[in-house]
Amino acid sequence: MEPRRKHSTALHTCHPCRRAIPYRIYAVIHTCGIIALMYHHVLSLLTANNTLITCLLLLSDIVLAFMWATTTSLRLNPVHRTEYPEKYAAKPEDFPKLDVFICTADPYKEPPMMVVNTALSVMAYEYPSDKISVYVSDDGGSSLTLFALMEAAKFSKHWLPFCKKNNIQDRSPEVYFSSESHSQSEEAENLKLMYEDMKSRVENVVESGKVETASITRNQFRGVFDLWTDKFTSHDHPTIIKVLQHNETDEMMPNLIYVSREKSKVSPHHFKAGALNTLLRVSAVMTNSPIILTLDCDMYSNNPTAPLHALCYLSDPKINFGLGFVQFPQKFQGINKNDIYASELKRPFDINTVGFDGLTGPVHMGTGCFFNRRAFYGPPTSLILPEIEKLGPNRIADMSIKTQDILALAHDVAGCNYERNTNWGSKIGFRYGSLVEDYYTGFMLHCEGWRSVFCSPKKAAFYGDSPKCLTDIIGQQIRWSVGLLEVTFSRYNPITYGLKSLSLLMSLGYCHYAFWPFWSIPLVVYGLLPQLALIHGVSVFPKASDPWFWLYIILFLGGYAQDLSDFLLEGGTYRKWWNDQRMWMVRGLSSFFFGFTEFTLKTLNLSTQGFNVTSKANDDNEQMKRYEQEIFDFGPSSSMFLFLPMTTVAIVNLLAFVWGIYGIFTWGEGPVLELMLASFAVVNCLPIYEAMVLRIDDGKLPTRICFLAGLLTFVLTGSGYFFLK
């Protein structure tokens, strides 16, 4: 994996962020403030008439203090890296082989043409084509996806030479032909017609729901679709592995392999982690490349030199021994100007990641990650061999991938019972036990002694699609919350287990995600308790004349000021930051709240959380129009209960705000902090009030949820009289 370099000049550099020192100074000041706040709570607890209020506020502040500590651990040593891929000098035959894993599961939520564009974009990398093997895992076992990839294989014979000859930068055909700057040459126009023709055939097949014999143009694949019988379902079907393109028969072209692992209703399949482990074994049998790139099906390559950026680290003899993976940030296309749903996820994908990079390295984000294959087989100093020799990471795969023996073994290792009584999912491969297999696997690799690196070139390496509907976003993050709680309440908790292998700061950094759903506790308490107290004329915070009043002000303003500076220094804007902190509240009162509920029901065996694929198909024109106009879309009425807690909190805060304004003129020295908190919440809840009262479109809040939220507000207000007085 080591290149021959032109000079001794480094392939990459690392620079500490300038904000580290002022952040460390502020961390000391804020820590003193938190200690003082806890002291104040203890004094209040000893003298309080209503211990329930004090205990709830103390619990909330303990959670907030802990989460602030986890965030601060990622602010103490942030770094930025730069790569120099132009200095990577190696002959084409000396480049390491690259296996690309693309995962898809549902042809209707993840349209086959999206999968096709992702596959073509990586097949066209500025990299020796015969060194690339693209494996597409179709966990839905769809004939529609296989047909689309067959068409992609044919089109690639024209698309790849065109890209490399003309140095095309947008190597996703959909992106290239949709741009106004694409070439108008005769060759380009002919290619565009070919692409549109392919796209039309694929979309017609998807619309019809089946592949007709007349649609199949390659004779060698006519019998393949006979496998899709009446008994074939997405949850119960045999293994299907088809080599759609082979670099031995198609000279200087990448391999393209379709893989649909065997499924059975009586065998566990471990969701995406199981699909990735199947690809890990199948690829080990067929090509066994030392470098693996994992991609979601909607995350197309935007930078044709991305593998070279990764090789700047993976080929560096100073660090490559313990380097497990190189993580690229997730970037998204089609996000509206001010990102009203915080779809960029700037904190986890940019801000926190540079902090992790200054420690042991970034967490695995599930896509856009170049792995050292060896990392999946035990710690750097202790190789764990798989059950058969041909699955080992160091074996040289020198047999044709189309030979009968190779294909037979590939089918065998993709069987649904193959992993039984093996180390797969526990000590080898992607780890089982959590719906967030990316976070969990990255955590376990770091605990084993592997490091990682964050690579963020100026030209984004990958672009993907983010949900454009609030319901989809909340649903996706409920699944994340359940998966994170599975890690938190397991033996692999980042505190109890992580501290045995990782530094304190790295363990706290992992806690920042593992304890994400706990944000719901302070958000519910601070979203309701002070406001109900304000309505009933009870003060739960110090009054303006009390010196403790200023402690709350300093901690609140200091925390938000630091959060804003993080956002702006990593390329964000004020409006995006405001929307991001608003969505933090929305998530706390929906995703995190219901994630806790779902996890509790699952733990009690009252519910089984499945892996619901987030839809990447945006077919609702009215919904897209509202999104572009930055209008919140609360989705169909079937999902209305997702919004009940936040709507209730919005109404309670509005009542408290109105009552507090009235009280200014009647109470004298009233509950100022309670009124300030209600005012802040009301400003954040403006889209909810608009959806309740002013809108008549399909994205408004359903009347039923407004009624239920009003009823719940009445109950809470009445109950508050007995608990607060």
Side-chain angles (χ1 to χ4, degrees), residues 134-394:
V134 178
Y135 295 83
V136 179
S137 169
D138 179 14
D139 232 25
S142 171
S143 60
L144 310 179
T145 302
L146 176 56
F147 176 79
L149 290 169
M150 287 168 46
E151 293 292 314
K154 288 192 301 180
F155 180 70
S156 69
K157 293 178 173 61
H158 306 278
W159 175 246
L160 271 60
F162 172 76
C163 288
K164 295 193 175 185
K165 182 177 72 174
N166 297 285
N167 193 28
I168 303 300
Q169 293 301 300
D170 294 325
R171 299 199 176 180
S172 161
E174 183 69 29
V175 174
Y176 177 72
F177 292 124
S178 299
S179 68
E180 297 180 357
S181 59
H182 81 267
S183 172
Q184 304 294 326
S185 68
E186 182 179 354
E187 182 183 17
E189 291 301 312
N190 288 336
L191 261 178
K192 184 176 182 180
L193 291 174
M194 291 175 61
Y195 174 72
E196 295 294 342
D197 183 52
M198 174 186 70
K199 183 178 179 180
S200 176
R201 288 197 302 274
V202 171
E203 290 181 344
N204 287 338
V205 165
V206 173
E207 187 175 353
S208 67
K210 60 181 179 179
V211 181
E212 301 288 355
T213 305
S215 303
I216 306 170
T217 57
R218 298 177 72 176
N219 292 329
Q220 68 266 40
F221 294 119
R222 289 189 181 277
V224 173
F225 295 96
D226 294 339
L227 294 169
W228 275 267
T229 63
D230 292 338
K231 296 181 180 179
F232 190 109
T233 70
S234 60
H235 302 292
D236 196 343
H237 61 79
T239 298
I240 302 173
I241 299 176
K242 294 299 172 185
V243 180
L244 304 178
Q245 187 165 273
H246 185 203
N247 60 25
E248 291 182 9
T249 55
D250 299 294
E251 188 176 354
M252 297 304 291
M253 295 292 286
N255 294 321
L256 178 60
I257 301 105
Y258 171 90
V259 179
S260 184
R261 58 180 170 147
E262 182 186 12
K263 287 282 194 71
S264 171
K265 293 180 180 179
V266 296
S267 298
H269 55 85
H270 303 292
F271 309 113
K272 185 179 176 182
L276 286 167
N277 278 339
T278 299
L279 290 184
L280 198 57
R281 293 192 297 272
V282 170
S283 66
V285 170
M286 299 180 111
T287 50
N288 210 34
S289 301
I291 299 175
I292 296 170
L293 166 62
T294 58
L295 282 178
D296 286 342
C297 66
D298 64 314
M299 195 66 61
Y300 71 87
S301 174
N302 182 64
N303 186 338
T305 64
L308 298 181
H309 284 269
L311 284 179
C312 287
Y313 300 104
L314 291 167
S315 65
D316 186 347
K318 295 180 181 178
I319 64 172
N320 65 0
F321 172 73
L323 183 59
F325 58 91
V326 177
Q327 179 67 62
F328 286 77
Q330 291 192 39
K331 302 290 184 181
F332 301 100
Q333 61 180 355
I335 291 177
N336 57 24
K337 182 180 178 182
N338 294 306
D339 191 15
I340 57 168
Y341 297 144
S343 300
E344 287 184 351
L345 295 170
K346 197 162 188 65
R347 282 191 184 83
F349 293 160
D350 287 315
I351 297 170
N352 293 343
T353 312
V354 297
F356 272 114
D357 206 17
L359 303 174
T360 308
V363 300
H364 173 37
M365 299 177 187
T367 183
C369 189
F370 286 82
F371 282 97
N372 176 355
R373 182 182 286 268
R374 169 64 183 81
F376 292 112
Y377 296 85
T381 56
S382 178
L383 174 65
I384 299 177
L385 291 173
E387 56 287 347
I388 60 175
E389 183 184 354
K390 287 190 175 180
L391 297 183
N394 300 321

Side-chain angles (χ1 to χ4, degrees), residues 9-30:
T9 307
L11 293 172
H12 59 90
T13 55
C14 179
H15 308 282
C17 295
R18 294 180 179 178
R19 62 179 181 268
I21 293 177
Y23 273 15
R24 292 172 189 176
I25 295 172
Y26 178 75
V28 174
I29 297 172
H30 199 92

Side-chain angles (χ1 to χ4, degrees), residues 72-85:
T72 299
S73 70
L74 304 176
R75 288 169 167 163
L76 299 181
N77 191 38
V79 298
H80 285 141
R81 297 181 186 271
T82 306
E83 309 80 40
Y84 308 101

